[in-house]
Amino acid sequence: MLIKQLVLRNFRVFNGTHVIDLAPRKRQNDDNPRPIVLFGGLNGAGKTSILSAIRLALYGRLAFGPATQQQEYVEELSALIHNGSTTVERPSEASIELVFTYNKGGHEAEFTVTRTWKKGKKDQLNLQQDGQLLEELDYDQCQGFLNELIPHGIADLFFFDGEKIAELAEDDSGNILRTAVRRLLGLDLIAKLRNDLMIFVKRQQSSQLAGSQQHKLAELEEQVKQFAFQTEQILEKADFAKMRIDLLSKEINRYEALLNAQGGAFAQTKAQEKQKVDTLLKEKDRLEKALRHECDSSLPYALAPRTLGRLLEQISAEIQIKQANSFEKELTQFLTQLKNDISFRSGTTGKIAAEAIEDNLKDYLAGKPKGELLFDISEREAGMIQQSIEQDSKKAWQRFDLYRNQLAEVEEQLEQAAANIARAPEDDQLIDIFEKLRELDRKRESKRQEYRSLLEEAKQTKQLQLDCARQVQKTHDLARNQHNSDSAFNNAQETINLLDRYSELLTQARVKTLSANFEGAYRKLARKEDLQLNAHINPETFDVELVDEKGTVINRKLLSAGEKQIYAIAILEALAKTSGRDLPVIIDTPLGRLDSQHRDKLINHYFPFASHQVVLLSTDTEVDERYFVDQLRDDISHAYEIVFNAHTKSSALKPGYFWELTKEAI
């Protein structure tokens, strides 16, 4: 297969018509075409649109995934119509045209696929072969023809996003690789031939049955068809119900957004805010009472520490004065009594001694504190005042500060709650939206119940179909035992057994070749410091085990992002080489997750040899100036730069790349 041309019209970021030549060209004095067609563009310019357009042209709805429903497909197509500049009328129609050659049955033919669609409408598909429109094929037949020509599972391995193929390395189920191997190696054709022979055997068996048995078999087969048809109808109803659920969910989201825009979020919490305000007011009252209580206790002592310090000094001094006065009074009384006693007993000598004692005591008392008593309080009262000032007031201040901060926080919460209440509209302003939301929610729940019921009904109908199918098979088995002498029947049965054995042997041989091709590809692309891996592929399940040089099985999920990409690319190259298919390779974001050494490996050992036609969709940081000018120049057929116009919101293609090749390179 060789893709010659791609024509885009109003597709995604490309406004208008863009004709892209994809056929590799020959250079002067060079008979062999250079395989690489290089597209360069910054992120968002439209590189991925090239890959998406090719996949959409070939596969239609399957390009968005096998589970995509028809209505979803129409919506996806509508979203792909260019929706750029608002200064001009936006287009309502888009199309893709893909021209390619394909060798079918030993004859190379040129095919032109044209897919056209309008907003909200199903696409139209036209197919030409060698310039002649295949009018005898309707839409489904054209699509079936393309699917047979290039099976979707195969294209996934040739047209891929370099950043997403790491999923192949993380596929524990083996489904991706299993599907790829069976299709690429032709094993699906063997399975199809086997099924055709099984149909022949069953028909032969039916013809040999007695009339009553044939009638019973016909009834059973008719029941199988009816149950299959009923199952399909029920599943279609279930799909429609699921679509209605999705639409109702979108409508609910829209009304919820409208509700929030009109203050609905505040309205929904209005009652809670009011209850919160009541609680906060009670807390505020409690804190204010606590603050007033502290003001009535020892707190004021903490407000004038210097003045109260002087007060304590004065009280302490007065206590000392009172103690001195009391001592002097008691001593004077004692001295008077002593003088009288000495004078009475000793006469003149005693009188002199008493005077001397009095003079010494006066000198002693002169050094004692003296002064005016301002407060004249007791020592007990002084101790109480000192404790209130030095201890109680400090504790009161700590409690006061705590209550004050709590009160400030409560008042702030009150202000916020009041603001929220003020923002909330009145209930009657939003009643219509609330009612609409309740109605939509009831409808959605009803549809969900209907959807679950339909799935259960489909399950039961499918079970009835399987029961009838088993009875049909049992009848055929009985006929085979009764009429095993028929030569055509025996030949068909032997062929089926032979195909089973052939498929088994072919699978083992191809898997062995695939393992060898993978190991060669991986060693070619991996760095020296990467794990040296071998691939062990189970021929029955196609599960891949990666084993290092020591025989230890490697968990693929533990590989780095770059190692996963190298592993996946090695698998893809091995599959392509083993299959012998001659298909182009298209890679979007080819070097995104790789370090410089891995990039060098791909640039030198993969891109130039991946296929006869290699389309690379790169940024300027992947295939950079060094790779473009120095390493890929001999393999690049031609290049395009995708340039995005921010004013028109549209991209255009121009010949060349971010950097021009020198004349010597051209």
Side-chain angles (χ1 to χ4, degrees), residues 105-228:
H107 170 69
E108 184 175 87
E110 181 179 281
F111 295 91
T112 302
V113 182
T114 305
R115 197 178 294 272
T116 307
W117 68 94
K118 297 181 179 180
K119 283 188 176 180
K121 302 292 184 181
K122 189 177 182 297
D123 56 327
Q124 302 295 319
L125 178 61
N126 290 323
L127 181 62
Q128 297 181 34
Q129 181 174 347
D130 293 329
Q132 298 295 319
L133 182 64
L134 302 180
E135 298 180 353
E136 68 278 9
L137 301 181
D138 60 17
Y139 179 95
D140 291 331
Q141 291 169 334
C142 283
Q143 189 61 67
F145 179 84
L146 290 172
N147 291 343
E148 289 182 3
L149 205 64
I150 314 167
H152 179 258
I154 292 176
D156 287 341
L157 304 176
F158 287 87
F159 311 152
F160 58 85
D161 184 332
E163 287 192 334
K164 293 181 180 178
I165 60 170
E167 296 173 1
L168 182 62
E170 298 177 349
D171 177 37
D172 289 332
S173 67
N175 289 333
I176 299 176
L177 192 60
R178 185 182 301 111
T179 302
V181 170
R182 295 192 69 85
R183 288 179 174 174
L184 281 172
L185 305 186
L187 301 178
D188 56 332
L189 296 178
I190 298 175
K192 185 177 180 181
L193 176 58
R194 185 183 186 281
N195 290 335
D196 291 341
L197 286 171
M198 287 296 296
I199 293 172
F200 169 77
V201 167
K202 289 181 178 181
R203 287 176 178 172
Q204 287 293 105
Q205 292 170 351
S206 299
S207 65
Q208 295 173 354
L209 292 173
S212 59
Q213 290 178 312
Q214 289 186 12
H215 180 69
K216 180 181 178 181
L217 184 61
E219 287 183 348
L220 288 172
E221 290 179 340
E222 182 62 28
Q223 287 179 10
V224 170
K225 292 180 182 179
Q226 289 179 357
F227 285 134

Side-chain angles (χ1 to χ4, degrees), residues 464-480:
L464 292 173
Q465 176 191 346
L466 293 175
D467 291 342
C468 289
R470 277 194 287 270
Q471 293 183 47
V472 169
Q473 185 61 45
K474 198 183 285 187
T475 304
H476 282 297
D477 292 341
L478 179 62
R480 183 170 62 248

